[in-house]
Amino acid sequence: MDKHLKTIKWLVLCVMIMITSGTQAATFKGGEDKTIDTPLEDNLYIASGTLTVDATIDGDLIAAAGKITVNDTIFEDLTAAGADILINAIIGEDAKIAGENITILRSINGDLIVFGANIEVGREVIVAGDLMVCGGRVVVKGIVNGDVKIMGGTVTFNGEAQGETDIEADVLNIGGKFRKSAVIAANKINFEDKAEFHDGLEYWQQTGETDLSNYMVNGLAIFSPDLELYQEVTNWKYLGFGLATFAIIYTFSIVLTIFLLTILFGKVFSKAGKLINESYIKNFGYGLLYFISLPLTALFFFLILIGIPIGLVLLHVFLFSLLFAYSITSIILAYGINIQYKKNWSKWKIMGVALLIFAVLKLITGIPFLGLLMIIIVVGMAFGTLISQYLPWEKTSIES
């Protein structure tokens, strides 16, 4: 259960799904643990507990998982969100990554955009484009051919910046080379002997102006009071970025979940949408029976030792139902509206409406007592329509 909760917590928004999938072939995968060990010639969209990529992907990889490890080449863009992310292979184009612990050990042949708590860009990494980072602890050891923009709590830059550099931090450790102009501001700056500035430096630190001539290859080091960081403002800025990152990750998880569920189980949800308009009370009854009986049945199988494997399967199904209840309900309601009002929507419009319904359900949840009651009824009806499709005495009416 913790693994799934961690996955949902750390998943990032990617509107690219809606743009790229309509024009290129794609592979969709989902599940608890996934390993990609066969080369893919198209895009891969995946949501899972853990993801390991051990084979090449010729297109984009858009992934949301608790733990992501990329060990083979992604020839186009990477968009990834998770708790722990390790990039140990070349990314052919841009990489956009958000998570808790992020380690990048191989080159990025485009821009690199990273949001996270702990971020490290290894010494062997070459970023062909720009680097933009926001994090709590940031370590950059590689080479960036484009511009560098970093905001963080504790930042260590021991790499090489070929473009212009702009860094804000609480504590900043500088031991790298800066080929073009650099602007840095931190409450505390530690300059290492190997630091080099080749085109001028504008800086601010709490201790004020200091002699930096030993680090200047060309240009001047200019102390600028205009860059001053106020601790209170800085803390709120980091908090704002943290909240924004979490919001992006959470929204991405919802978009990707609804996207995958609609693509993979569209026919099932379409039938459920038809049924939800037929008998509200009966659907709610089936749904209530499902949420009560399933955990009790799982408990029963746990009590008889020989039935533990079956109990584990039932428990996973139950947890899946709880974790994705809002998403599943939103999709079913979207299909229900489509059928009830004869809209003939495409799957893309169904997804869009489902996202709006999801937002409404979340707002309703915030209403004390009455909101919770309404959610229980709506979710119960939605799941009841899924259950009724597999009840022998209901199949005849569904097929007709």
Side-chain angles (χ1 to χ4, degrees), residues 224-236:
S224 176
D226 293 338
L227 298 176
E228 181 175 359
L229 298 178
Y230 294 98
Q231 188 65 42
E232 183 178 350
V233 174
T234 303
N235 287 339
W236 277 105

PDB file of all heavy atoms in Angstrom, residues 224-236:
ATOM      1  N   SER A 224      26.949  43.217  -6.134  1.00  0.00           N
ATOM      2  CA  SER A 224      25.721  43.940  -6.452  1.00  0.00           C
ATOM      3  C   SER A 224      24.704  43.802  -5.319  1.00  0.00           C
ATOM      4  O   SER A 224      24.100  42.736  -5.152  1.00  0.00           O
ATOM      5  CB  SER A 224      25.111  43.414  -7.753  1.00  0.00           C
ATOM      6  OG  SER A 224      23.880  44.057  -8.015  1.00  0.00           O
ATOM      7  N   PRO A 225      24.477  44.869  -4.544  1.00  0.00           N
ATOM      8  CA  PRO A 225      23.466  44.828  -3.477  1.00  0.00           C
ATOM      9  C   PRO A 225      22.060  44.560  -4.004  1.00  0.00           C
ATOM     10  O   PRO A 225      21.193  44.088  -3.262  1.00  0.00           O
ATOM     11  CB  PRO A 225      23.569  46.228  -2.843  1.00  0.00           C
ATOM     12  CG  PRO A 225      24.941  46.706  -3.195  1.00  0.00           C
ATOM     13  CD  PRO A 225      25.219  46.147  -4.551  1.00  0.00           C
ATOM     14  N   ASP A 226      21.818  44.861  -5.282  1.00  0.00           N
ATOM     15  CA  ASP A 226      20.485  44.635  -5.852  1.00  0.00           C
ATOM     16  C   ASP A 226      20.107  43.155  -5.887  1.00  0.00           C
ATOM     17  O   ASP A 226      18.935  42.808  -6.017  1.00  0.00           O
ATOM     18  CB  ASP A 226      20.414  45.187  -7.280  1.00  0.00           C
ATOM     19  CG  ASP A 226      20.528  46.706  -7.316  1.00  0.00           C
ATOM     20  OD1 ASP A 226      20.248  47.335  -6.276  1.00  0.00           O
ATOM     21  OD2 ASP A 226      20.897  47.254  -8.374  1.00  0.00           O
ATOM     22  N   LEU A 227      21.088  42.277  -5.771  1.00  0.00           N
ATOM     23  CA  LEU A 227      20.823  40.835  -5.801  1.00  0.00           C
ATOM     24  C   LEU A 227      20.522  40.269  -4.418  1.00  0.00           C
ATOM     25  O   LEU A 227      20.298  39.069  -4.278  1.00  0.00           O
ATOM     26  CB  LEU A 227      22.037  40.089  -6.383  1.00  0.00           C
ATOM     27  CG  LEU A 227      22.427  40.422  -7.829  1.00  0.00           C
ATOM     28  CD1 LEU A 227      23.699  39.666  -8.198  1.00  0.00           C
ATOM     29  CD2 LEU A 227      21.306  40.068  -8.792  1.00  0.00           C
ATOM     30  N   GLU A 228      20.466  41.129  -3.416  1.00  0.00           N
ATOM     31  CA  GLU A 228      20.323  40.653  -2.038  1.00  0.00           C
ATOM     32  C   GLU A 228      19.118  39.750  -1.864  1.00  0.00           C
ATOM     33  O   GLU A 228      18.020  40.025  -2.348  1.00  0.00           O
ATOM     34  CB  GLU A 228      20.209  41.843  -1.080  1.00  0.00           C
ATOM     35  CG  GLU A 228      20.086  41.428   0.378  1.00  0.00           C
ATOM     36  CD  GLU A 228      20.085  42.615   1.313  1.00  0.00           C
ATOM     37  OE1 GLU A 228      20.203  43.760   0.823  1.00  0.00           O
ATOM     38  OE2 GLU A 228      19.967  42.406   2.534  1.00  0.00           O
ATOM     39  N   LEU A 229      19.340  38.640  -1.139  1.00  0.00           N
ATOM     40  CA  LEU A 229      18.274  37.702  -0.813  1.00  0.00           C
ATOM     41  C   LEU A 229      17.851  37.926   0.632  1.00  0.00           C
ATOM     42  O   LEU A 229      18.688  37.896   1.542  1.00  0.00           O
ATOM     43  CB  LEU A 229      18.768  36.254  -0.961  1.00  0.00           C
ATOM     44  CG  LEU A 229      19.219  35.799  -2.355  1.00  0.00           C
ATOM     45  CD1 LEU A 229      19.707  34.358  -2.274  1.00  0.00           C
ATOM     46  CD2 LEU A 229      18.078  35.907  -3.352  1.00  0.00           C
ATOM     47  N   TYR A 230      16.571  38.177   0.848  1.00  0.00           N
ATOM     48  CA  TYR A 230      16.046  38.270   2.200  1.00  0.00           C
ATOM     49  C   TYR A 230      15.616  36.869   2.621  1.00  0.00           C
ATOM     50  O   TYR A 230      14.873  36.201   1.903  1.00  0.00           O
ATOM     51  CB  TYR A 230      14.877  39.243   2.261  1.00  0.00           C
ATOM     52  CG  TYR A 230      15.282  40.667   1.970  1.00  0.00           C
ATOM     53  CD1 TYR A 230      15.101  41.207   0.694  1.00  0.00           C
ATOM     54  CD2 TYR A 230      15.860  41.454   2.960  1.00  0.00           C
ATOM     55  CE1 TYR A 230      15.483  42.518   0.423  1.00  0.00           C
ATOM     56  CE2 TYR A 230      16.244  42.766   2.688  1.00  0.00           C
ATOM     57  CZ  TYR A 230      16.051  43.281   1.420  1.00  0.00           C
ATOM     58  OH  TYR A 230      16.434  44.563   1.142  1.00  0.00           O
ATOM     59  N   GLN A 231      16.075  36.427   3.773  1.00  0.00           N
ATOM     60  CA  GLN A 231      15.850  35.041   4.191  1.00  0.00           C
ATOM     61  C   GLN A 231      14.379  34.665   4.169  1.00  0.00           C
ATOM     62  O   GLN A 231      13.995  33.603   3.703  1.00  0.00           O
ATOM     63  CB  GLN A 231      16.427  34.828   5.602  1.00  0.00           C
ATOM     64  CG  GLN A 231      16.415  33.376   6.054  1.00  0.00           C
ATOM     65  CD  GLN A 231      17.318  32.523   5.203  1.00  0.00           C
ATOM     66  OE1 GLN A 231      18.416  32.910   4.855  1.00  0.00           O
ATOM     67  NE2 GLN A 231      16.846  31.338   4.830  1.00  0.00           N
ATOM     68  N   GLU A 232      13.523  35.569   4.671  1.00  0.00           N
ATOM     69  CA  GLU A 232      12.094  35.272   4.724  1.00  0.00           C
ATOM     70  C   GLU A 232      11.527  35.117   3.322  1.00  0.00           C
ATOM     71  O   GLU A 232      10.783  34.187   3.029  1.00  0.00           O
ATOM     72  CB  GLU A 232      11.352  36.376   5.477  1.00  0.00           C
ATOM     73  CG  GLU A 232       9.865  36.095   5.642  1.00  0.00           C
ATOM     74  CD  GLU A 232       9.173  37.189   6.444  1.00  0.00           C
ATOM     75  OE1 GLU A 232       9.880  38.035   7.022  1.00  0.00           O
ATOM     76  OE2 GLU A 232       7.942  37.183   6.480  1.00  0.00           O
ATOM     77  N   VAL A 233      11.914  36.024   2.427  1.00  0.00           N
ATOM     78  CA  VAL A 233      11.430  35.954   1.050  1.00  0.00           C
ATOM     79  C   VAL A 233      11.945  34.693   0.381  1.00  0.00           C
ATOM     80  O   VAL A 233      11.226  33.999  -0.338  1.00  0.00           O
ATOM     81  CB  VAL A 233      11.887  37.203   0.261  1.00  0.00           C
ATOM     82  CG1 VAL A 233      11.509  37.068  -1.208  1.00  0.00           C
ATOM     83  CG2 VAL A 233      11.266  38.457   0.862  1.00  0.00           C
ATOM     84  N   THR A 234      13.223  34.365   0.627  1.00  0.00           N
ATOM     85  CA  THR A 234      13.823  33.182   0.015  1.00  0.00           C
ATOM     86  C   THR A 234      13.108  31.919   0.449  1.00  0.00           C
ATOM     87  O   THR A 234      12.805  31.041  -0.350  1.00  0.00           O
ATOM     88  CB  THR A 234      15.312  33.092   0.392  1.00  0.00           C
ATOM     89  OG1 THR A 234      15.965  34.286  -0.009  1.00  0.00           O
ATOM     90  CG2 THR A 234      15.964  31.890  -0.280  1.00  0.00           C
ATOM     91  N   ASN A 235      12.815  31.809   1.744  1.00  0.00           N
ATOM     92  CA  ASN A 235      12.117  30.621   2.240  1.00  0.00           C
ATOM     93  C   ASN A 235      10.752  30.471   1.594  1.00  0.00           C
ATOM     94  O   ASN A 235      10.338  29.375   1.216  1.00  0.00           O
ATOM     95  CB  ASN A 235      11.974  30.699   3.767  1.00  0.00           C
ATOM     96  CG  ASN A 235      13.305  30.462   4.476  1.00  0.00           C
ATOM     97  OD1 ASN A 235      14.215  29.885   3.897  1.00  0.00           O
ATOM     98  ND2 ASN A 235      13.411  30.921   5.709  1.00  0.00           N
ATOM     99  N   TRP A 236      10.026  31.590   1.493  1.00  0.00           N
ATOM    100  CA  TRP A 236       8.711  31.521   0.850  1.00  0.00           C
ATOM    101  C   TRP A 236       8.842  31.164  -0.619  1.00  0.00           C
ATOM    102  O   TRP A 236       8.009  30.479  -1.190  1.00  0.00           O
ATOM    103  CB  TRP A 236       7.978  32.855   1.005  1.00  0.00           C
ATOM    104  CG  TRP A 236       7.294  32.975   2.319  1.00  0.00           C
ATOM    105  CD1 TRP A 236       7.681  33.727   3.387  1.00  0.00           C
ATOM    106  CD2 TRP A 236       6.106  32.308   2.726  1.00  0.00           C
ATOM    107  NE1 TRP A 236       6.815  33.573   4.438  1.00  0.00           N
ATOM    108  CE2 TRP A 236       5.834  32.708   4.053  1.00  0.00           C
ATOM    109  CE3 TRP A 236       5.243  31.406   2.099  1.00  0.00           C
ATOM    110  CZ2 TRP A 236       4.733  32.230   4.765  1.00  0.00           C
ATOM    111  CZ3 TRP A 236       4.144  30.923   2.808  1.00  0.00           C
ATOM    112  CH2 TRP A 236       3.905  31.340   4.125  1.00  0.00           C
TER     113      TRP A 236
END
